[in-house]
Amino acid sequence: MSDLTKYTSKLASSRILIIGGSSGIGFAVAAACLEHDALVAISSSNASRVDAAVKKLQSSYPSKSSNIVGLTVDLSKSSTLESELKTLLDGTVSKIGGQSKKLDHVVFTAGDALATIPLAEMSMEKVLQAGQIRFFAPLMLAKYLPSYLEPSYKSSYTVTTGAVSEKPIPNWSVIGSYAGGHHSMVRNLALDLKPLRVNGISPGVVNTELWRMSDEQKEKVMKFHGEHLATGRAGQPEDVAESYLALLKDWNMTGSMVRTDGGGLLGI
């Protein structure tokens, strides 16, 4: 007689799109979903990075190499944002859609270089551009999800914000405003998209490729931040991926923002 697997098998054969899945947190979430026997599509704006990420995942999980596919999407332009999102969703369903031709989960982890803009240097152009990928893209994506996700409490949409949404940083008013808006976005979309579940993840300092500096500089930065966290270390993508898994698997959670920041708000 076999053991029960009602917890570890919850994502088996689920069809999951991870936007921003070619690196960092998104890549770790893709790996975690593959380990749970899901069918995974990752997307990013750079075709070569997507291809490299798919090959790396296939190498790490050779028995599940057919469970991972990659697509490209350009979220950087407001004029083409909606058409790009729809093309991505159509392509994902085509590649990993089952008989129902719908997805089970969408995870949004995409981001660009953080635009720290001092007040004196703010302009409407800079403010709008700062929110293009991190705020407007996940909001507009919600418009299409009812047509592409299974209409069930088992299905979900997960967005990503950051610790600046709760802990202000000088010269981060623009990004902080968008990040804070993600909290309201999650709660309101949970009503607008029901029975689909909508939740968010708020990571603190995480050691990813978004820290665009030399390895030596990044090591110093991670050490500095780690010394000011309750855990004594900066977060790793593999740590944070566990929070995404929890939101995908908890069919009772919606309208919630989960914080995974090493105790960054404790003021150590």
Side-chain angles (χ1 to χ4, degrees), residues 18-31 42 107 109 237 244:
I18 302 170
I19 302 175
S22 66
S23 63
I25 293 173
F27 182 85
V29 174
I42 61 172
V107 177
T109 65
Y244 286 85

Side-chain angles (χ1 to χ4, degrees), residues 1-253:
M1 182 175 175
S2 301
D3 292 341
L4 288 175
T5 59
K6 63 180 180 179
Y7 296 104
T8 58
S9 64
K10 241 181 179 179
L11 294 179
S13 299
S14 292
R15 299 172 294 276
I16 304 174
L17 167 62
I18 302 170
I19 302 175
S22 66
S23 63
I25 293 173
F27 182 85
V29 174
C33 290
L34 285 174
E35 288 192 12
H36 283 71
D37 296 320
L39 304 175
V40 180
I42 61 172
S43 72
S44 183
S45 61
N46 186 294
S48 61
R49 283 203 301 267
V50 171
D51 291 342
V54 168
K55 289 177 182 177
K56 186 175 180 180
L57 288 168
Q58 290 175 330
S59 175
S60 298
Y61 305 97
S63 69
K64 300 170 185 176
S65 60
S66 62
N67 285 24
I68 178 71
V69 299
L71 303 96
T72 57
V73 63
D74 183 2
L75 307 177
S76 65
K77 303 179 184 66
S78 60
S79 59
T80 58
L81 177 59
E82 291 193 62
S83 62
E84 286 282 330
L85 289 171
K86 192 171 186 310
T87 298
L88 171 63
L89 290 166
D90 285 332
T92 302
V93 167
S94 175
K95 289 193 173 188
I96 66 170
Q99 290 183 347
S100 66
K101 294 298 181 184
K102 288 199 174 185
L103 307 176
D104 298 294
H105 304 282
V106 174
V107 177
F108 193 99
T109 65
D112 50 4
L114 290 167
T116 55
I117 306 173
L119 287 178
E121 298 177 15
M122 277 203 308
S123 66
M124 281 306 301
E125 182 180 3
K126 289 180 180 179
V127 169
L128 291 173
Q129 188 58 44
Q132 174 63 31
I133 293 176
R134 294 177 178 273
F135 186 84
F136 299 120
L139 180 60
M140 291 306 302
L141 175 60
K143 171 183 176 180
Y144 298 99
L145 294 185
S147 299
Y148 290 90
L149 281 170
E150 290 288 349
S152 167
Y153 61 87
K154 297 180 181 180
S155 302
S156 72
Y157 176 38
T158 305
V159 303
T160 306
T161 186
V164 70
S165 64
E166 299 178 275
K167 187 174 184 178
I169 304 172
N171 294 324
W172 282 54
S173 289
V174 173
I175 290 296
S177 296
Y178 284 127
H182 286 126
H183 290 250
S184 295
M185 182 191 296
V186 161
R187 291 191 291 269
N188 282 273
L189 288 180
L191 295 180
D192 289 340
L193 293 177
K194 65 182 183 181
L196 303 177
R197 297 179 297 108
V198 183
N199 295 292
I201 299 286
S202 180
V205 177
V206 182
N207 189 352
T208 71
E209 295 86 342
L210 279 179
W211 297 85
R212 296 176 181 175
M213 55 186 69
S214 69
D215 291 342
E216 183 179 356
Q217 287 177 308
K218 188 160 75 165
E219 183 178 353
K220 291 180 179 178
V221 169
M222 292 299 117
K223 183 176 183 296
F224 170 80
H225 284 291
E227 291 171 348
H228 293 80
L229 296 174
T231 56
R233 62 189 280 275
Q236 300 298 314
E238 295 79 8
D239 305 328
V240 178
E242 297 285 357
S243 291
Y244 286 85
L245 285 178
L247 293 184
L248 297 182
K249 295 167 66 176
D250 186 346
W251 295 341
N252 193 50
M253 183 174 285

